[in-house]
Amino acid sequence: MMALRQASAFLVLVLAASLPPPHCAQDPAVVHYIYQRFQVLEQGLQKCTQATRAYIQDFREFSKNISVMLGRCQTYTSEYKSAVSNLALKVEHAQREIDYLEYLREADMCIESEEKILAEKLVQEAEEEKKVRTLLNASCDNMLMGIKSLKIVKKTMDTDGSWMKDAFSASPKIYFFIGSRNNTVWEFANMRALMEDSNKPGPRKLILTHSWQGTGQVVYKGFLFFHNQGTPNEIIKYNLQKRTVEDRMLLPGGAGRALVYQHSPSTYIDLAVDEHGLWAIHSGSGIHGHLVLTKIEPSTLGMEHSWVTPCKSQDAEAAFLLCGVLYVVYSSGGHGPHHIACVYDPRGTISEEDLPNLFFPRRPRSHSMIHYNARDKQLYAWNDGNQIIYKLQTKRKQPLK
């Protein structure tokens, strides 16, 4: 209001300054004009005052409304904060419940998984046992009880070598292998021809297309099976009648990369034949010196089954199979006494506890080879150039339950 009054006084002064000189002051027209101007100014000032008051009133109402709304916002904010906090607590509680239910579900799944794995393992073991029993189902129930006698058949100057008959055929022929690396096989008509060099005709000389490695070769069903020299794990099936390679196979699992027996420094794969057929005794990778026993199907040279045995190659010199049981011969430092110190039966019918102390007659050096002949029921061995036959004492095994 003060501002309006000051503005009115200022306008009066301006109008007074614009008045005509005194000699014209009494002119009625001028006076009337000034009076009208004052009225117009007064009306304008009144309108301005009224508008200002209206603006002030509106502003006060607006300010009041804003204050009320801010108060409500604060209230709502507190309520929202409280609701959000409660919701967060509920979410946290629900998450804990979910975690617990998930833990229970995983625990149940683990139990179910373990039970499933155990059941599968039991089924697998049962199938494995059934497979082994079917595989080794030949009518053979003998177990070794002793070495009865020793017979030196012949003596040569060769420290290493092997000799044998066909482990399946009734043929009297003797096959003679000199050395640990060679490709010449001597075929004698019979045992007498081998013992008496003067007999005529002399032995037949067979030159193989490949050389053998070690002293682990066998003759079975008219075929010679041997470890191919220069290869770590190749087995060759050689037709002695046709003098041709019939088939070949590679033994898996790192076979042939280490010696089978510590005291047989040239043999990396030792083949064997018993009542159940053809076998391979060899080493393997990652089994810490344990011997591996592999059953081979002789017709196709397919691997039928393989076992890691508890028998070790350390201090071993030879091994043979009899009725599906592996017998490993050991000696201290390669000298006597020579004895069977480890036995492995894939069917679990016998163990070392079931056997007496099995010693061979004392010999000055370790055996270059020992092979069992299922028809003769005796061992053919090579020891320090001597070709030896060991006669055996056996008994019936306990039947499987």
Side-chain angles (χ1 to χ4, degrees):
M1 293 299 295
M2 289 294 297
L4 292 175
R5 290 175 180 174
Q6 290 176 359
S8 298
F10 176 75
L11 290 174
V12 170
L13 292 175
V14 171
L15 292 174
S18 63
L19 290 176
H23 61 271
C24 298
Q26 295 181 358
D27 190 343
V30 173
V31 173
H32 180 72
Y33 170 76
I34 292 172
Y35 177 74
Q36 288 180 342
R37 298 300 298 171
F38 270 114
Q39 284 183 338
V40 172
L41 288 174
E42 186 177 0
Q43 291 174 358
L45 289 174
Q46 287 178 355
K47 290 180 180 180
C48 182
T49 300
Q50 291 174 358
T52 301
R53 287 176 179 175
Y55 293 150
I56 291 173
Q57 184 64 31
D58 291 341
F59 180 78
R60 285 176 179 174
E61 291 294 331
F62 175 75
S63 178
K64 182 178 179 181
N65 291 335
I66 290 298
S67 298
V68 172
M69 294 175 66
L70 289 175
R72 291 177 181 175
C73 286
Q74 291 178 354
T75 303
Y76 293 155
T77 301
S78 300
E79 292 177 355
Y80 292 154
K81 286 183 179 179
S82 177
V84 169
S85 298
N86 292 334
L87 181 60
L89 291 175
K90 291 180 179 179
V91 169
E92 183 179 358
H93 179 72
Q95 186 63 47
R96 287 199 298 267
E97 292 290 337
I98 292 172
D99 292 341
Y100 179 68
L101 292 175
E102 184 69 18
Y103 167 76
L104 293 178
R105 187 181 68 84
E106 291 179 356
D108 291 339
M109 289 180 61
C110 289
I111 293 174
E112 292 176 1
S113 178
E114 290 176 359
E115 291 176 350
K116 183 179 179 181
I117 291 173
L118 180 60
E120 290 176 352
K121 184 177 180 181
L122 292 174
V123 171
Q124 185 177 0
E125 289 177 353
E127 292 178 352
E128 188 79 8
E129 183 178 355
K130 182 179 178 181
K131 180 180 178 181
V132 171
R133 290 192 181 190
T134 303
L135 184 64
L136 305 180
N137 198 28
S139 56
C140 179
D141 56 1
N142 291 329
M143 59 185 291
L144 183 63
M145 294 304 294
I147 313 296
K148 290 202 303 184
S149 63
L150 169 151
K151 179 181 179 181
I152 298 178
V153 176
K154 187 179 181 66
K155 182 174 178 60
T156 65
M157 301 300 295
D158 302 288
T159 303
D160 296 321
S162 62
W163 70 294
M164 66 206 65
K165 296 170 67 175
D166 190 319
F168 179 82
S169 171
S171 170
K173 292 180 181 179
I174 303 294
Y175 298 92
F176 208 78
F177 303 80
I178 299 175
S180 59
R181 293 176 179 84
N182 207 332
N183 70 334
T184 302
V185 182
W186 296 96
E187 181 188 275
F188 292 86
N190 50 44
M191 188 71 71
R192 186 174 180 181
L194 172 68
M195 298 172 64
E196 300 176 3
D197 291 336
S198 60
N199 273 8
K200 300 296 181 182
R204 187 168 69 133
K205 184 178 181 180
L206 305 177
I207 305 297
L208 308 180
T209 55
H210 297 73
S211 296
W212 70 76
Q213 165 73 41
T215 58
Q217 49 272 4
V218 295
V219 177
Y220 184 56
K221 295 184 177 181
F223 295 94
L224 169 64
F225 297 85
F226 63 92
H227 178 197
N228 187 17
Q229 181 186 355
T231 67
N233 59 342
E234 184 177 58
I235 305 300
I236 287 183
K237 178 182 178 181
Y238 190 86
N239 192 318
L240 292 172
Q241 186 68 28
K242 298 178 180 179
R243 300 192 185 187
T244 57
V245 173
E246 191 83 7
D247 203 350
R248 61 185 71 202
M249 72 171 292
L250 297 177
L251 280 174
R257 300 187 184 277
L259 291 172
V260 188
Y261 316 116
Q262 181 183 355
H263 300 310
S264 184
S266 60
T267 303
Y268 291 81
I269 297 174
D270 189 15
L271 299 173
V273 174
D274 72 346
E275 292 82 356
H276 295 288
L278 182 63
W279 303 78
I281 309 164
H282 55 90
S283 61
S285 58
I287 55 175
H288 309 291
H290 288 269
L291 298 181
V292 178
L293 181 62
T294 298
K295 184 71 176 65
I296 300 173
E297 210 294 311
S299 300
T300 62
L301 286 188
M303 190 183 77
E304 295 183 292
H305 207 285
S306 190
W307 299 265
V308 178
T309 75
C311 305
K312 290 196 172 185
S313 62
Q314 184 178 358
D315 288 330
E317 60 180 65
F320 59 93
L321 281 110
L322 188 157
C323 286
V325 179
L326 175 68
Y327 298 86
V328 185
V329 182
Y330 292 85
S331 61
S332 178
H335 306 287
H338 312 281
H339 64 289
I340 295 172
C342 186
V343 176
Y344 177 70
D345 181 4
R347 294 181 297 173
T349 56
I350 65 171
S351 63
E352 295 176 25
E353 290 76 14
D354 301 320
L355 302 176
N357 292 327
L358 298 173
F359 285 89
F360 286 79
R362 183 175 293 274
R363 303 298 301 165
R365 297 188 61 179
S366 61
H367 292 84
S368 174
M369 57 79 66
I370 300 177
H371 282 172
Y372 172 70
N373 187 288
R375 292 186 62 87
D376 296 347
K377 308 298 182 185
Q378 56 190 11
L379 300 178
Y380 289 72
W382 189 299
N383 183 283
D384 196 23
N386 296 292
Q387 289 73 56
I388 302 171
I389 289 178
Y390 292 109
K391 292 190 178 298
L392 306 177
Q393 178 183 356
T394 61
K395 77 169 188 178
R396 291 175 63 88
K397 291 188 289 187
Q398 296 295 326
L400 284 171
K401 296 181 179 180

